[in-house]
Amino acid sequence: HLEGRRILIVDDNELNLEIAVELLEISGAQIITAVDGRDAVEHFSSSPEGFYDIILMDVQMPVLDGLSASREIRGLPRK
C-alpha cells in the first residue's frame, strides 16, 4: 500500500540505504535519499509542504544526527 507514497530515507551507510531503497521501491514507493541529517533537513525544507509522506531516519550519522535533524524538521513552521 505504498504505491505513489514519497519516502525520504536518511542513512549514512551506503549498504543500508541501498537495501532500504530496494525494499521500498518494490512496494511502489517513490524514494528520495539523504546521506546525513543536514541533508535531510535541506531536502525537507526545500520541498513543498506535504511532499513527503514518511521520513525514515538513522539515528547516528555524521554532520547532524537523526534526533537533532528530526527536532529541526519538527521545528519548521509547517504542518
Side-chain angles (χ1 to χ4, degrees):
H1 297 358
L2 296 176
E3 187 72 36
R5 300 286 184 195
R6 285 185 290 262
I7 301 174
L8 176 60
I9 303 176
V10 188
D11 200 320
D12 63 316
N13 182 299
E14 190 175 317
L15 180 60
N16 290 347
L17 198 57
E18 184 179 328
I19 291 168
V21 167
E22 288 294 322
L23 289 172
L24 291 169
E25 281 182 337
I26 289 170
S27 299
Q30 178 185 351
I31 307 300
I32 298 89
T33 61
V35 296
D36 58 49
R38 176 61 50 218
D39 193 24
V41 172
E42 290 172 8
H43 273 284
F44 186 83
S45 61
S46 67
S47 68
E49 192 167 319
F51 182 79
Y52 292 107
D53 296 295
I54 304 167
I55 299 175
L56 300 175
M57 179 103 57
D58 185 16
V59 176
Q60 294 180 328
M61 295 181 289
V63 182
L64 185 64
D65 66 86
L67 296 175
S68 297
S70 296
R71 281 189 210 100
E72 283 192 32
I73 288 170
R74 289 175 180 257
L76 293 170
R78 39 167 61 189
K79 296 179 184 179

